[in-house]
């Protein structure tokens, strides 16, 4: 096992009717909130009413910043920063999925920074401070509610990049599984694919394969995600399955499932971010296309050992190829596309997709060249 530091300061409040509990936590940190949300799902599932009433009861004044898009856009982040400054906001409250929380993080850091917020995403500046952030999660997928990363798309340059820094950890996140009951089927699938992707990025690219405990954590979370998702697809009102899924997705990217791996690269994410930057498809859908192709590439370059171990523990698969087919089968069953063509992306675009992915690959210092990325993408045609 490689040396590691594990530190996660986010307080989680989990369970039924916990959203209102975010308000007193937020009120202890500030009295002027920028309230960030998306296209209106929180108005339909009641989170908006509960949270705004609870914040008002605590004497917190609210400035709304809504309309966050899936794959949040830099221009909207900049507008949020201007609003937070003009209204002298001292805290950020975000309610929604990963996109809402990510945009809230970027605003939280940008509001405290003299330069342009995009500097954080292209490695020109480090995040040293941020406004305190409080989140109510409504979509289990990204882990953003308990991690220190955020992803934003620069629409002008077609770059979907990440920023990271300890000040971005939410102070408190409220996770009420009942708020996920309104999720469309496609978002259930996207969340399942994304949370599985977070588990495999460390597991398969580790340089150190003798890490019994983290391997077992990954297997257990992957089993929980696949089993919970199957239960949710069968019975969307299954509270315990919703709860298991929600907590599993959080644990899949809060640092726990990568301890001691050392060699985490996020190569599937680097390729996927290019797909969602260029075609604005859902992150989970893009990953469902990239992962099977990357697994087959990994089998060729690194051999069958990790695929066999994972597949045996999670799917009961007997071979490495059987593991890849099990992933594909699960993604298909959930309703996610597993080929570029299924998402309407022509194979003739592969060089352009690979070229775009190279921006992130170089920024992250990964050892891959464009022909290799094109080869992986050709397996996804
Ligand atoms: O905008 P609203 O109206 O809220 O609707 C959203 C959105 O249309 C809807 N939704 C959310 N909760 C709902 C709901 N609809 C009904 N009922 C609910 N309870 O779902 C749609 C998708 O939401 P989004 O936030 O975009 O999805 P997700 O949570 O999957 O977030 C994806 C974004 O996070 C980034 C992705 O790249 C992508 O931009 N990621 C962030 C990471 C991080 N911060 O650590 C890591 C991930 O790897 C990922 O890259
Ligand atoms: Zn992801």
């Amino acid at each position: 096992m490689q040396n590691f530091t594990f530190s996660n300061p986010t307080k989680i409040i989990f369970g039924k009717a916990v959203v209102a509990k975010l308000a007193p936590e937020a009120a202890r940190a500030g009295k002027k909130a920028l309230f960030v949300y998306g296209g209106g799902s929180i108005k339909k599932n009641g989170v908006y009413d509960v949270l705004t009433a609870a914040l008002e009861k605590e004497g917190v004044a609210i400035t709304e910043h809504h309309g966050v898009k899936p794959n949040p856009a830099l221009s909207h982040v900049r507008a949020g920063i201007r609003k937070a400054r003009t209204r002298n906001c001292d805290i950020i409250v975000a309610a929604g999925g990963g996109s809402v929380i990510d945009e809230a993080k970027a605003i939280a850091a940008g509001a405290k920074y003299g330069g342009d917020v995009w500097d954080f995403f292209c490695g020109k500046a480090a995040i040293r401070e941020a406004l305190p952030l409080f989140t109510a999660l409504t979509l289990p997928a990204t882990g953003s509610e308990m991690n220190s990363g955020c992803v934003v798309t620069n629409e002008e340059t077609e770059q979907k990049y990440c920023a990271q820094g300890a000040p971005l950890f939410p102070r408190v996140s409220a996770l009420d599984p009942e708020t996920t009951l309104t999720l469309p089927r496609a978002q259930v699938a996207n969340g399942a694919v994304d949370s599985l992707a977070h588990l495999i990025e460390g597991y398969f690219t580790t340089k150190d394969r003798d890490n019994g405990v983290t391997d077992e954590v990954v297997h257990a979370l992957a089993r929980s995600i696949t089993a919970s998702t199957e239960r949710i697809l069968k019975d969307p009102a299954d509270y315990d399955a919703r709860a298991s899924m929600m907590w599993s997705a959080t644990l899949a990217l809060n640092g726990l499932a990568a301890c001691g791996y050392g060699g985490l690269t996020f190569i599937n994410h680097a390729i996927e971010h290019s797909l969602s930057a260029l075609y604005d498809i859902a992150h989970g859908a893009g990953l469902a296309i990239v992962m099977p192709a990357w697994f087959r590439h990994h089998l060729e370059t690194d051999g069958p050992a990790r695929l066999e171990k994972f597949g045996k523990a999670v799917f009961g698969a007997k071979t490495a190829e059987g593991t890849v087919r099990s992933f594909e089968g699960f993604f298909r069953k959930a309703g996610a596309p597993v080929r570029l063509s299924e998402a309407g992306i022509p194979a003739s675009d592969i060089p352009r997709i690979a070229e775009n992915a190279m921006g992130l690959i170089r920024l992250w210092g990964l050892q891959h060249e464009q022909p290799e990325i094109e080869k992986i993408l050709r397996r996804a045609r």
Side-chain angles (χ1 to χ4, degrees):
M1 196 190 293
Q2 303 283 299
N3 290 1
F4 66 89
T5 301
F6 177 71
S7 167
N8 194 312
T10 301
K11 174 175 174 178
I12 297 289
I13 307 178
F14 190 98
K16 290 183 184 178
V18 295
V19 170
K21 294 188 177 174
L22 203 56
E25 300 280 350
R28 277 196 283 280
K31 293 291 182 201
K32 288 183 181 172
L34 186 76
F35 182 34
V36 182
Y37 62 97
S41 70
I42 63 162
K43 290 199 168 162
K44 289 187 196 135
N45 61 18
V47 170
Y48 178 90
D49 287 343
V50 168
L51 195 48
T52 51
L55 287 166
E56 275 158 22
K57 193 171 152 216
E58 295 293 330
V60 176
I62 296 170
T63 297
E64 292 202 9
H65 180 63
H66 55 81
V68 176
K69 280 188 343 89
N71 300 325
L74 179 60
S75 56
H76 202 257
V77 169
R78 287 181 177 141
I81 293 169
R82 284 194 296 274
K83 214 181 275 182
R85 284 188 184 141
T86 316
R87 305 291 180 93
N88 289 321
C89 293
D90 49 8
I91 52 173
I92 312 261
V93 177
S99 295
V100 166
I101 298 175
D102 282 6
E103 177 159 330
K105 286 176 173 176
I107 294 170
K112 288 283 202 176
Y113 177 60
D116 179 27
V117 66
W118 190 245
D119 290 352
F120 298 135
F121 292 83
C122 46
K124 282 195 193 148
I127 297 171
R128 305 211 186 282
E129 51 179 340
L131 291 172
L133 172 64
F134 299 83
T135 87
L137 178 72
T138 64
L139 197 174
T142 64
S144 189
E145 66 281 5
M146 200 182 183
N147 70 36
S148 59
C150 64
V151 186
V152 167
T153 300
N154 183 332
E155 320 94 290
E156 282 170 20
T157 59
E158 296 186 317
Q159 290 167 310
K160 186 181 185 188
Y161 283 9
C162 314
Q164 189 131 28
L168 295 187
F169 277 109
R171 293 272 176 99
V172 182
S173 288
L175 276 58
D176 178 346
E178 286 188 323
T179 66
T180 71
L181 292 171
T182 50
L183 277 172
R185 219 179 147 86
Q187 298 302 346
V188 171
N190 291 337
V193 176
D194 190 24
S195 47
L196 281 175
H198 298 152
L199 294 170
I200 68 99
E201 294 282 26
Y203 186 95
F204 284 93
T205 54
T206 178
K207 288 183 196 81
D208 189 339
R209 293 185 172 187
D210 192 358
N211 183 345
V213 57
T214 305
D215 281 2
E216 291 304 328
V217 168
V218 167
H219 296 155
L221 289 174
R223 281 196 303 269
S224 163
I225 289 164
T226 50
S228 308
T229 303
E230 283 177 9
R231 276 173 60 173
I232 291 165
L233 292 173
K234 224 178 271 166
D235 175 12
D238 183 338
Y239 175 83
D240 290 315
R242 295 280 188 181
S244 245
M245 178 60 206
M246 200 170 205
W247 188 224
S248 303
T250 301
L251 294 176
L253 196 60
N254 76 343
L256 179 72
C259 290
Y261 281 154
L264 197 122
T265 69
F266 273 96
I267 178 62
N268 289 274
H269 276 69
I271 302 173
E272 191 298 307
H273 283 195
S274 166
L275 291 180
S276 38
L278 295 173
Y279 307 98
D280 205 19
I281 61 171
H283 176 58
L287 285 167
I289 294 167
V290 173
M291 280 162 65
W294 181 82
F295 280 135
R296 294 200 164 96
H297 179 73
H298 169 86
L299 179 57
E300 206 171 273
T301 55
D302 290 59
R306 293 302 269 174
L307 277 163
E308 283 172 2
K309 184 172 182 183
F310 187 97
K312 188 175 169 202
V314 177
F315 299 116
K318 293 193 172 52
T319 62
E321 178 56 31
T323 305
V324 185
R325 279 203 300 271
S326 300
F327 268 108
E328 274 180 346
F330 174 73
F331 295 164
R332 275 193 199 285
K333 201 164 152 190
V338 297
R339 293 290 182 271
L340 290 167
S341 55
E342 291 169 27
I345 300 172
S348 55
D349 281 8
I350 285 175
R352 176 172 175 244
I353 301 166
E355 189 187 357
N356 185 292
M358 286 310 295
L360 209 45
I361 286 168
R362 288 196 196 101
L363 190 65
W364 289 351
L366 306 182
Q367 300 303 307
H368 301 285
E369 295 301 331
Q370 190 170 328
E372 187 187 1
I373 305 304
E374 289 187 25
K375 189 177 168 197
I376 294 169
L377 285 163
R378 279 196 299 277
R379 291 180 190 270
R381 279 182 289 187

